[in-house]
Amino acid sequence: MEPSGSTTISSSNHTLNSTGGGCPWEVSDKTRLCRFLCYGSEGDLYTAREEGHVSMESAGALLSLLQEGRGTEVVEEIKRFTQDGRAVRLDPAFFALAMCSQHSELKTRQAAFKALKEVCRDPAHLFSFIQTKKELKEGMKCGIWGRALRKAVSDWYNEQDAMSLAAAVTKCKQREGWSHQDLLRLSHTKPANEAIALISKYVTKGWKDVQAAYSDKENSEEVVKVLSYLEVVEKVKHSCDETEVINLIEEHKLEREQLLTDHLKSKQVWRALLKEMPLQSLLRILGKMTSNKILESGSSETKAVCDRIQSETTLKKAKIHPFSLLLSSENYKRGQGYQGKTKWEPDSSILKAMDSAFYKSFMHVEPVGKRFLVAVDVSTSLSSIVPGTSVSTAVAAAAITMIFARTEADTHVLAYSEGALVPCSVTADMTLAQATVELVKIPGGSTDCTLPITWATENGKAVDVFIILTNNPLWTFTASPVESLKKHRQISGANSKLVMCGLTSIGHAIADTEDRGLLSICGFDLGALSVIRNLAQDLI
């Protein structure tokens, strides 16, 4: 693809935003920390869909920075990765914050506890943080509930909007062995206002005590609102009347976590829930809803769901990424859950709506504003599947290529062909099917990850990020990737990086390298796109 305004090599040099270290491409402790906060590993290898347990062994850079007295700097990085949605996984951030919160340096501890509410934005996050602290303290004589933690947890509850807190404590009641009752009791929380006091009493004492305490009192407007909401939650918990449950769901926007298991056996209850269900949650259960005949072909409920899926307003609000929609669509098209138990006949109108949503969602992808070169080799086995998904490597490569071609103004697309690279006519206006055909019609060869760099250097193209997509298990090098990259940086003046994506690989890295501009990705998921974005922006 040769977009208008394509940048050629010039003598201009971009300002390096190194994540630390004297040499701009050195893999410093700060770089390792940022990788850890992004995807849970300090190494240059990201494995898609991996949910490994975070431990001291994987956090060497974190420990080094704390020992150097840079704890407040670490806390700022934790906040940056969690608040801006840069972290692929949140557990590493909770682990790092827990480590900072019990460090020997007072400034570090204070910064960590002050950041608790910003990093742990919902109850599930808070429970995870507390459990991590408990695990880190195991084997030590002292407990975790010191004055600082008690104050931080109390502040977490007291600084919430009352109605938001009421919804949160009734949706996520407990997680990882901790409940709100535990945290309020152990933190000795003194409610900051009447509304928080009401919620605290509800959690610790129950609804009957709340009724006894507030029924004859003259309550403020906020307390009345919270009381009414909790009354609805209690009412639905004790109701066996399907019509009443449906009315309460629709009137008060209740969610499935606030209902009883028996309620969820009703098709009509599910249909009521689907009307306001968050789009990401809705996409996850489309197969189950079709299998259970809750969504039937031609029904008004199915039409309403299709309208929601492809609504530009809904897509923008939910910030659904095109690749996320592709994964959901291919899984639904498969007609079977991953465990093989649930089966369904995919509904054509739902598939059409998801296809429409896929193309509409591109407009909500925020450009990185860098110069990309995407080189593709997916011709070795068209039937191969990206691990953990229902997506073929050919379709995945086409979708990834489209994402860059449609959202980044300066993108070149090349295809491997018998040991060489040739320009590929994937354009921003192509459909996914057209892009897939275009990529796989060229006969491939060995995947040499230095070829795109050599091509760009020889053709006078300054490239910020080289991305290689392949399902070829054998990667070859006619020259050192590091040396090729250094040469391109020197000639072009660009801060070039290289990302090698083995779409079917497990644990396959380019090479052991101390150049922070090289990264390997094994498999592919939405997180992989976040990793590429972070690397392009010098964040990892």
Side-chain angles (χ1 to χ4, degrees):
M1 177 181 162
E2 288 283 350
S4 59
S6 177
T7 311
T8 55
I9 286 177
S10 69
S11 59
S12 65
N13 196 8
H14 294 265
T15 305
L16 269 176
N17 179 22
S18 172
T19 51
C23 168
W25 298 105
E26 175 194 350
V27 182
S28 64
D29 280 341
K30 185 78 175 290
T31 303
R32 290 189 177 93
L33 170 71
C34 291
R35 287 174 176 176
F36 175 76
L37 293 174
C38 179
Y39 52 86
S41 168
E42 295 182 349
D44 58 2
L45 175 67
Y46 169 73
T47 303
R49 306 178 74 83
E50 186 178 60
E51 292 289 345
H53 182 69
V54 182
S55 64
M56 291 283 194
E57 290 72 31
S58 59
L62 168 64
L63 295 170
S64 296
L65 290 168
L66 289 176
Q67 285 166 5
E68 289 170 18
R70 296 170 68 185
T72 53
E73 200 179 329
V74 171
V75 173
E76 286 305 310
E77 287 299 334
I78 295 169
K79 285 159 61 177
R80 188 161 68 137
F81 271 86
T82 53
Q83 289 172 343
D84 298 342
R86 291 169 178 160
V88 175
R89 298 164 189 140
L90 288 172
D91 282 352
F94 302 148
F95 179 89
L97 192 68
M99 288 288 294
C100 291
S101 74
Q102 55 195 50
H103 186 57
S104 57
E105 186 183 66
L106 178 62
K107 278 196 305 182
T108 299
R109 294 199 306 273
Q110 288 175 333
F113 285 124
K114 190 177 178 183
L116 181 65
K117 186 168 181 276
E118 296 173 68
V119 175
C120 300
R121 291 189 297 275
D122 64 41
H125 296 168
L126 182 62
F127 294 144
S128 184
F129 169 77
I130 297 295
Q131 179 59 21
T132 303
K133 273 190 72 69
K134 183 188 174 187
E135 289 170 2
L136 287 171
K137 282 284 189 178
E138 277 180 5
M140 299 171 75
K141 290 181 180 178
C142 57
I144 67 170
W145 290 96
R147 184 185 299 171
L149 179 60
R150 293 200 305 269
K151 183 182 185 306
V153 171
S154 294
D155 288 347
W156 190 93
Y157 284 101
N158 278 325
E159 291 171 11
Q160 302 275 355
D161 167 73
M163 284 300 291
S164 298
L165 183 61
V169 301
T170 54
K171 287 176 192 172
C172 181
K173 297 172 187 175
Q174 56 186 38
R175 196 72 59 89
E176 300 198 37
W178 296 94
S179 67
H180 292 288
Q181 191 171 11
D182 295 329
L183 300 197
L184 288 167
R185 176 176 53 84
L186 291 165
S187 64
H188 306 163
T189 298
K190 293 179 180 176
N193 56 57
E194 269 297 306
I196 302 295
L198 162 59
I199 295 165
S200 178
K201 184 177 278 289
Y202 174 74
V203 168
T204 55
K205 302 291 184 181
W207 178 241
K208 284 185 179 177
D209 278 36
V210 167
Q211 284 180 306
Y214 288 88
S215 58
D216 297 328
K217 277 178 73 175
E218 191 173 324
N219 300 308
S220 68
E221 188 179 337
E222 189 177 33
V223 168
V224 170
K225 277 177 70 178
V226 173
L227 264 175
S228 300
Y229 182 80
L230 295 176
E231 187 177 5
V232 167
V233 172
E234 286 296 311
K235 194 173 185 179
V236 83
K237 271 166 53 177
H238 296 93
S239 178
C240 298
D241 184 336
E242 183 185 69
T243 305
E244 182 181 43
V245 170
I246 291 166
N247 289 337
L248 291 171
I249 291 169
E250 292 178 345
E251 188 179 345
H252 300 280
K253 294 182 171 54
L254 298 181
E255 298 185 25
R256 60 176 164 173
E257 294 83 1
Q258 294 166 307
L259 305 183
L260 301 177
T261 306
D262 280 350
H263 293 153
L264 300 177
K265 293 174 183 176
S266 160
K267 290 183 182 181
Q268 294 303 328
V269 166
W270 272 109
R271 285 168 183 152
L273 287 169
L274 290 176
K275 292 177 184 177
E276 295 289 341
M277 186 177 287
L279 191 54
Q280 196 68 269
S281 303
L282 172 60
L283 292 171
R284 278 197 294 267
I285 63 167
L286 282 172
K288 181 184 174 183
M289 296 296 98
T290 306
S291 174
N292 294 343
K293 307 295 181 188
I294 291 160
L295 293 176
E296 296 184 281
S297 184
S299 71
S300 59
E301 289 83 11
T302 300
K303 185 181 183 306
V305 162
C306 290
D307 289 344
R308 280 197 70 207
I309 290 171
Q310 56 192 324
S311 160
E312 289 184 14
T313 307
T314 308
L315 287 168
K316 185 177 182 179
K317 184 182 176 184
K319 297 179 181 175
I320 304 285
H321 195 279
F323 200 76
S324 184
L325 278 159
L326 174 68
L327 294 175
S328 298
S329 177
E330 292 295 313
N331 186 47
Y332 182 72
K333 197 183 293 180
R334 184 169 176 254
Q336 185 174 340
Y338 285 121
Q339 303 301 320
K341 293 176 184 176
T342 308
K343 295 183 179 181
W344 60 88
E345 186 66 39
D347 183 87
S348 59
S349 63
I350 292 175
L351 285 171
K352 191 175 177 182
M354 292 175 90
D355 188 58
S356 170
F358 172 74
Y359 295 103
K360 287 178 180 178
S361 63
F362 280 95
M363 67 180 73
H364 307 308
V365 178
E366 190 178 336
V368 178
K370 300 289 184 180
R371 298 163 293 189
F372 289 89
L373 188 153
V374 183
V376 186
D377 177 21
V378 290
S379 57
T380 51
S381 173
L382 300 187
S383 61
S384 58
I385 300 293
V386 178
T389 75
S390 303
V391 184
S392 75
T393 51
V395 171
I400 297 159
T401 303
M402 280 177 66
I403 287 164
F404 287 98
R406 284 185 173 224
T407 62
E408 300 296 340
D410 197 339
T411 300
H412 296 280
V413 180
L414 304 175
Y416 282 86
S417 178
E418 298 171 343
L421 278 174
V422 294
C424 184
S425 55
V426 171
T427 56
D429 57 353
M430 279 185 172
T431 64
L432 181 59
Q434 288 169 335
T436 305
V437 169
E438 192 62 37
L439 288 178
V440 300
K441 74 180 183 184
I442 302 166
S446 60
T447 309
D448 181 349
C449 67
T450 60
L451 283 182
I453 307 169
T454 305
W455 181 91
T457 307
E458 290 176 353
N459 286 275
K461 306 292 183 186
V463 176
D464 295 315
V465 186
F466 294 93
I467 301 170
I468 298 169
L469 306 170
T470 181
N471 59 6
N472 192 333
L474 300 174
W475 303 353
T476 60
F477 313 100
T478 51
S480 160
V482 178
E483 291 308 313
S484 299
L485 205 56
K486 280 180 180 176
K487 184 179 177 182
H488 184 76
R489 288 169 184 161
Q490 189 177 5
I491 294 173
S492 70
N495 297 331
S496 306
K497 291 135 187 149
L498 170 65
V499 182
M500 189 74 183
C501 301
L503 298 175
T504 57
S505 304
I506 301 296
H508 192 76
I510 299 173
D512 288 331
T513 172
E514 283 301 304
D515 188 311
R516 70 176 182 86
L518 274 77
L519 201 67
S520 299
I521 292 175
C522 297
F524 210 89
D525 59 3
L526 189 58
L529 287 164
S530 295
V531 170
I532 293 171
R533 187 181 188 88
N534 285 333
L535 183 70
Q537 295 177 316
D538 287 304
L539 295 170
I540 58 174

